[in-house]
Structures are given as structure tokens and as C-alpha cells.
Amino acid sequence: MSLIIAHLLADFYLQTDHMVQDKLRNLKKHILHHLLVNTAVLTAGWLLFYQENDPVTSVVWPVLFITGTHLIIDLVKIKLVDQFTVRENLNKLWFFVLDQLLHLFMLLIALQLFYQKSLVSNVDRFIQLLFEEGRQLGASSTILVIVIILILGTTVSGHIIRILLGSLPGQLLTFEGKYTFKNELKETAYPQASNGQRGLSEQYSYMIFNKHDMSRGKLIGYIERLLVILLTYYSSYPAIAFIVTAKSIARFKQMDDRDWAEYFLLGTLTSMFIGIMFGILLREILN
């Protein structure tokens, strides 16, 4: 579990949005993050549990294996995305999920190769945590599980939602108000032809928007999913409705725009689904 946390930290916390958008150019920096984080985690594990083993076998080779396979998977992913010109958001999401599953599989392979932790036994243990009654986790394992769920429920799920929604430049704006102006064109060239002045009037209505603060929206999404996970863990499902209501009230004026309403609905439902799913998973593992 500590290796999974190391992978998530390096993949989602130590690389910026700019690095994600141009991953090929920043690939060396990204791989360096994984090298440093995995080295720190495996060194700490060796000092705590494997001091009787050779440090080269317990630290150096696993780090090189994990970092090397991560580099290969990322290069193959980048080439496949460029080759198939993946534009559909759902296809991008499947590439992302497959990429993360391959990285997880490589971590399990590393455990089997260098620590004699069988791949099958690791999968069986996870299944037992979900479905077997009376299992108990130690304090350290409980903390690691909570940390993994929190990371998955915030940064990882936020990345999934961004991929699924895509970019809507016209809708990623904050509505400020609607203004109406009337322009009157009066005819005064032939005043004798009429008892009064005749005129043509034109009315202009347009929306005023401000740029959306993405960092603020990201923070709101994190807090929202954390609340949903916590409420789901305690089976307080009716309280989740208040979160949706609060978001709807805050965005009420924007609901006049159908594109924005669909964007908001898709993002909210996806966020709620992920939060509830991780809340149930946390409850099944810990209880």
C-alpha cells in the first residue's frame, strides 16, 4: 500500500497541469519524481522491515524496475494517443484507466520479484478485505487505506472528471449578470410630415461573464467528494442531497444556459458517484 501511495503522490501531486498537457517534454522530470519517491519509500521499508536483506536487492533493483516500467508504459501511452488521435473524452478516460492499472500491475510484479509477495496472494487479500467477515486491519494498514481513499477521492477523481468533461471554454465562466440596452434612432429630417417625432428602437441583451477560478473550483470539488465519502461511510445518504442543493443554488443563474446545465449535471453526478463509491469501499474495508 505504501508503494501505491508513492505512485499516486508522484503521478498526481508532484506534476503540474502543464506537465500533464505536454507530458513528452516533461517526461524526464516526471520519471525523476517517481525515482525519488519510490527510493524514499523503499528505503524506509528496508530500514524498518528488511535490514537483514541486501539493500541492492531490496531497494535499488525494485526502484529501477518500477521507474523503468513506468517510463515504458508512459512512452507507449503517448505514442498510442498520438497515433490514434484520441479526441473523444470517453476514449481518453479509458486510456487513463488502463495506464493506471498497468502501473498498479507493475507494482504487484515488483513485490513478487523482489519481496516474494505473491501476486495472487495480494489479490486474494484485497478480496478478503472486501467480502470476508471478521477481518481486522492493523493501525498502520488502516491509516494507509484511509490515505489511499483520500487521494483517490480528491486528486485522482478530479483528474478523471476533467478528462470526462473535457474543456468547454464558453462554459468555464462564471455568470455575473444580464444587461439590456435600448437604442432609439429618431427621425427629425421632415418634422412637418408628422405631429410628433417618429423613431426606431433597437434592444440589445447580452450576458456578462468573468473567468472562472479553476483552483477554487478544484478545491470545492475536493471538499465535496470528501464530504460525500464521509457521509456515505456513516450511511447518511439524505445529507448528500443538501450538497447537491447547495451547488445548484450557487449556480442557479447559469442554469438558463442548456450547455452549462448539462456540463454541471454531468460533473455533479460523476463527482457524487465517485464519492459514494469510495465511501462504500472505505466502509467495507474498515468495518
Side-chain angles (χ1 to χ4, degrees):
M1 285 190 286
S2 58
L3 282 176
I4 295 176
I5 294 176
H7 167 75
L8 295 176
L9 289 176
D11 240 12
F12 296 97
Y13 283 95
L14 297 181
Q15 61 174 341
T16 62
D17 292 338
H18 176 70
M19 291 174 62
V20 174
Q21 293 171 1
D22 195 355
K23 197 165 189 177
L24 184 60
R25 180 178 297 179
N26 298 283
L27 191 58
K28 292 181 180 179
K29 187 183 297 185
H30 175 65
I31 294 301
L32 179 61
H33 290 162
H34 280 277
L35 179 65
L36 294 177
V37 174
N38 283 301
T39 299
V41 169
L42 290 176
T43 300
W46 176 74
L47 291 173
L48 293 174
F49 306 108
Y50 295 98
Q51 285 193 21
E52 68 278 3
N53 295 346
D54 181 15
V56 175
T57 305
S58 300
V59 179
V60 177
W61 289 122
V63 167
L64 292 178
F65 176 82
I66 294 171
T67 307
T69 54
H70 195 102
L71 175 61
I72 294 172
I73 292 172
D74 281 356
L75 286 173
V76 171
K77 176 190 173 184
I78 292 171
K79 289 186 178 181
L80 287 177
V81 170
D82 291 339
Q83 180 179 352
F84 293 102
T85 59
V86 179
R87 295 178 182 176
E88 293 291 334
N89 295 330
L90 194 58
N91 291 335
K92 291 180 180 178
L93 179 60
W94 285 119
F95 266 94
F96 169 77
V97 172
L98 180 60
D99 172 70
Q100 294 301 315
L101 289 178
L102 286 175
H103 290 316
L104 176 61
F105 181 71
M106 289 299 108
L107 293 179
L108 296 177
I109 292 294
L111 290 176
Q112 180 165 345
L113 289 177
F114 303 104
Y115 294 95
Q116 289 73 49
K117 302 288 185 180
S118 173
L119 176 63
V120 176
S121 66
N122 279 301
V123 175
D124 286 342
R125 184 184 178 192
F126 178 73
I127 295 175
Q128 289 173 3
L129 287 176
L130 290 179
F131 302 108
E132 219 179 68
E133 297 294 335
R135 74 275 182 187
Q136 291 183 350
L137 288 177
S140 59
S141 297
T142 301
I143 293 174
L144 291 176
V145 167
I146 293 175
V147 170
I148 291 175
I149 293 296
L150 291 181
I151 295 176
L152 292 175
T154 53
T155 310
V156 179
S157 58
H159 191 69
I160 291 174
I161 292 172
R162 280 201 303 273
I163 294 175
L164 187 60
L165 295 182
S167 59
L168 297 176
Q171 276 69 37
L172 291 179
L173 300 168
T174 301
F175 177 77
E176 291 295 328
K178 181 176 180 179
Y179 293 84
T180 302
F181 293 91
K182 180 180 273 190
N183 182 27
E184 292 188 356
L185 303 175
K186 295 183 179 180
E187 297 178 357
T188 57
Y190 304 100
Q192 67 278 9
S194 176
N195 294 330
Q197 292 182 337
R198 293 182 302 169
L200 298 176
S201 64
E202 295 177 318
Q203 184 168 301
Y204 302 93
S205 299
Y206 58 92
M207 301 290 189
I208 302 297
F209 294 92
N210 282 337
K211 289 185 178 180
H212 181 63
D213 186 351
M214 295 302 293
S215 61
R216 184 172 54 190
K218 184 188 296 185
L219 180 60
I220 291 174
Y222 288 179
I223 296 175
E224 169 192 313
R225 286 188 293 278
L226 289 176
L227 285 173
V228 172
I229 291 173
L230 182 63
L231 293 172
T232 303
Y233 180 80
Y234 288 104
S235 302
S236 301
Y237 297 107
I240 298 177
F242 289 101
I243 299 177
V244 179
T245 303
K247 286 187 64 177
S248 301
I249 293 174
R251 302 288 190 178
F252 179 73
K253 291 183 178 180
Q254 287 175 285
M255 294 302 175
D256 293 336
D257 184 346
R258 180 176 178 180
D259 290 333
W260 169 261
E262 291 177 350
Y263 176 86
F264 173 81
L265 184 62
L266 179 59
T268 300
L269 291 178
T270 305
S271 183
M272 292 293 115
F273 172 76
I274 292 175
I276 292 173
M277 181 182 68
F278 284 130
I280 294 174
L281 181 62
L282 183 64
R283 185 177 62 200
E284 290 300 314
I285 291 177
L286 298 185
N287 289 343

